Amino acid sequence: MRKYLFFGTFMAFCFCAKAMQYPAVSRTLKNGLKVIVCQKPGNNFVYLQVWYRAGSKDEAPGVHGMAHMFEHMMFRGTEKYPGQSFFKNVEKVGGVFNASTHSDFTEYHEYIPKSALELCMDMEADRMGNLKVTQDILNTERQVVGEEFRDGMNNWEQRMVLNEYKTLYPENDPYTVNPIGSLEEITSFTAEECMDFYNKYYSPNYAFVVVVGDVNPEEVFTMADRYFGTVTKQLSLKDKSDLPDLTKAKPKLSEMPLDQMLQVYSYVIPYPEVSSKDYYALNMLTGILFLDNNSILNNILVKKKHLVYAIASTEETRFYKYPSQQTFDFFMSAQPGNFKVKKIVSDEINNIMTNGVSQAMIDNYIKAKESMDMQLNYSAESIGNQLGSNELYYGNYQQAYHSIDEYKKVTPDDIKRVAAIYFAPERISIINIKPE
């Protein structure tokens, strides 16, 4: 019922390159909840999101998978809207709803007729402040989450990704465990543990609301204050500190078994947090080198030499609040001679570290990104995701209108500089994933 992607990024939230054409305004309520409104003319539907700054990074040992479990529990009712009321109320007006869990956040949304916005604000505010979890409800819902886990493990590629993820981080890193968590822990959660997570991380000053549609911002602010303004709970939470240095970390394994007749060279690269000055330059570099359809290595290994079936990354956007480990996977037939792929990849990395890339390559990357992202700026969902992502990671939703400017600031020297930092031989690791 609710979208759940296994790989660790739970929705395609993105920092789009093309500046959006619909302006947004905001107001912060007395309880600390920021309300962001984008007035987008169009149909009579509205996109409502509630973002919580809590994800799997906030889970304590023994309750891995709790953030995603709690995403499910938020739909199980309150005293005012018990049982299946949330589902029935949204479906009755012809709307749809969903939610997603990421390492850094949990997000809930409804796409509804404008006339139902007040009802959905009431329901969202009510579960922000008055959710109750019982053991009976938890027992039912964790069976659903456990089944999602098992379904994901039935897919060989998702199984490979999850097994690899377990090797990527040192134990004291906030991203040590994939948001899907541990099946053993999921099936042993108690109602008390669920409520403890809720009480620690769900509050108006640790959340924000996004509304996109043909609405009057002042009316939305008044409505938000009427419902969310009554939630008085406050939290005092600090960013994590004493993080391990991932540029010095290595995966726990250099080889992994695969139950397919394929071989995968998985390049593990330390990636900076999204607020880092290196983020946009490194994103551009990994696109130019690995991921774009006309990337350097895609042209050589896939299109010309036919040594590789595909080059892919688990993450599309690679945005994280803290430094992360990102993987770039080369899928090949399992056969002798694949070491040639490593040699070609190494040569191209060394070439960029020595010579950089041309301005023409940078210009082509920006043009392609503008063209690809342009279509995303016309759906309420995409606009909401852009505003929310930038509010979450930069503390400023207005950054959504200027992302392309950050890419345009990248120079060939920047590409050369970040290549020397993040692609240095002592910082890149390769996990050889092959048939047993």
Side-chain angles (χ1 to χ4, degrees):
M1 183 177 297
R2 293 174 287 283
K3 181 186 293 186
Y4 176 73
L5 301 182
F6 198 77
F7 293 107
T9 296
F10 285 72
M11 285 187 71
F13 296 109
C14 61
F15 301 95
C16 290
K18 183 72 174 178
M20 298 188 299
Q21 62 176 318
Y22 305 109
V25 292
S26 69
R27 185 168 297 169
T28 301
L29 306 184
K30 291 181 180 179
N31 59 11
L33 180 75
K34 179 181 278 191
V35 182
I36 302 164
V37 182
C38 178
Q39 191 172 11
K40 177 185 180 295
N43 61 26
N44 200 37
F45 272 66
V46 175
Y47 194 67
L48 168 66
Q49 293 178 298
V50 181
W51 297 65
Y52 293 90
R53 301 176 187 273
S56 60
K57 67 174 171 44
D58 302 298
E59 295 165 349
V63 291
H64 291 127
M66 177 60 77
H68 177 235
M69 170 63 78
F70 206 82
E71 172 205 314
H72 283 245
M73 299 308 299
M74 282 283 280
F75 289 91
R76 299 299 296 187
T78 64
E79 183 176 343
K80 183 176 182 179
Y81 293 105
Q84 300 291 312
S85 297
F86 194 100
F87 305 113
K88 293 177 180 178
N89 286 340
V90 175
E91 291 170 351
K92 183 170 61 177
V93 299
V96 294
F97 59 90
N98 215 320
S100 60
T101 306
H102 183 276
S103 297
D104 290 327
F105 63 86
T106 309
E107 176 270 353
Y108 303 85
H109 63 264
E110 297 85 50
Y111 187 57
I112 45 173
K114 185 164 61 173
S115 59
L117 178 59
E118 188 162 8
L119 169 64
C120 287
M121 274 205 176
D122 187 19
M123 292 194 298
E124 286 286 7
D126 187 48
R127 66 181 180 176
M128 177 184 284
N130 301 307
L131 192 76
K132 299 296 181 185
V133 176
T134 67
Q135 193 64 43
D136 287 343
I137 291 175
L138 174 59
N139 290 343
T140 299
E141 202 60 35
R142 68 184 176 188
Q143 291 179 16
V144 177
V145 176
E147 192 60 33
E148 286 183 351
F149 184 98
R150 286 184 283 269
D151 285 346
M153 291 297 284
N154 286 333
N155 178 290
W156 72 266
E157 188 175 2
Q158 294 185 10
R159 186 166 59 249
M160 179 193 79
V161 168
L162 181 61
N163 288 336
E164 181 183 22
Y165 191 97
K166 296 175 183 177
T167 76
L168 297 181
Y169 291 93
E171 292 304 320
N172 58 337
D173 192 273
Y175 302 136
T176 298
V177 178
N178 187 292
I180 184 60
S182 158
L183 183 59
E184 181 180 353
E185 293 179 29
I186 290 169
T187 54
S188 63
F189 290 157
T190 66
E192 183 180 2
E193 288 171 327
C194 282
M195 287 305 299
D196 182 61
F197 188 83
Y198 176 70
N199 291 330
K200 283 182 177 177
Y201 299 109
Y202 277 60
S203 79
N205 70 318
Y206 207 55
F208 58 91
V209 171
V210 179
V211 177
V212 182
D214 194 1
V215 295
N216 181 306
E218 287 300 323
E219 292 178 356
V220 174
F221 294 144
T222 299
M223 191 183 300
D225 192 46
R226 182 182 308 135
Y227 295 106
F228 288 102
T230 63
V231 184
T232 58
K233 178 182 175 183
Q234 296 286 285
L235 295 174
S236 178
L237 297 167
K238 298 180 180 179
D239 287 344
K240 298 182 184 300
S241 59
D242 298 324
L243 301 173
D245 184 356
L246 295 185
T247 63
K248 298 178 181 178
K250 291 291 183 181
K252 300 178 180 72
L253 298 174
S254 59
E255 291 190 352
M256 283 178 50
L258 183 65
D259 54 359
Q260 299 289 317
M261 289 307 296
L262 288 172
Q263 186 170 7
V264 181
Y265 287 154
S266 187
Y267 282 72
V268 183
I269 296 172
Y271 227 81
E273 66 278 14
V274 73
S275 60
S276 166
K277 64 182 178 62
D278 295 338
Y279 174 78
Y280 286 97
L282 187 57
N283 245 15
M284 182 180 290
L285 172 56
T286 54
I288 290 173
L289 181 61
F290 295 124
L291 298 177
D292 291 352
N293 185 51
N294 287 315
S295 71
I296 294 169
L297 288 169
N298 202 57
N299 280 333
I300 295 172
L301 294 172
V302 179
K303 297 180 179 180
K304 183 178 179 180
K305 295 184 178 294
H306 307 292
L307 294 174
V308 171
Y309 294 135
I311 306 170
S313 177
T314 298
E315 304 278 4
E316 292 183 2
T317 49
R318 293 171 294 285
F319 55 96
Y320 281 83
K321 182 178 178 64
Y322 304 110
S324 64
Q325 297 277 47
Q326 297 298 319
T327 58
F328 300 87
D329 298 335
F330 294 72
F331 293 83
M332 309 163 284
S333 293
Q335 59 187 10
N338 282 341
F339 66 89
K340 291 182 292 186
V341 171
K342 286 185 183 179
K343 176 67 166 57
I344 292 170
V345 173
S346 179
D347 287 347
E348 294 303 325
I349 287 175
N350 289 335
N351 182 52
I352 289 178
M353 291 174 67
T354 302
N355 302 311
V357 299
S358 67
Q359 184 62 48
M361 281 183 158
I362 292 176
D363 294 341
N364 288 337
Y365 176 91
I366 292 171
K367 288 177 183 177
K369 194 161 187 62
E370 285 181 310
S371 176
M372 178 181 64
D373 291 341
M374 186 178 297
Q375 61 183 316
L376 297 176
N377 296 315
Y378 297 99
S379 79
E381 178 181 9
S382 175
I383 291 170
N385 291 340
Q386 293 177 63
L387 293 170
S389 295
N390 282 275
E391 178 64 27
L392 182 84
Y393 287 105
Y394 295 107
N396 179 15
Y397 65 92
Q398 294 287 352
Q399 180 67 21
Y401 297 90
H402 305 291
S403 292
I404 189 59
D405 298 331
E406 299 302 322
Y407 283 108
K408 287 181 177 178
K409 293 176 184 176
V410 176
T411 67
D413 284 343
D414 290 327
I415 297 291
K416 191 174 177 180
R417 176 180 59 80
V418 295
I421 295 172
Y422 298 98
F423 287 5
E426 66 273 16
R427 290 180 176 169
I428 287 185
S429 299
I430 305 173
I431 301 177
N432 184 8
I433 307 173
K434 59 184 181 179
E436 296 184 77

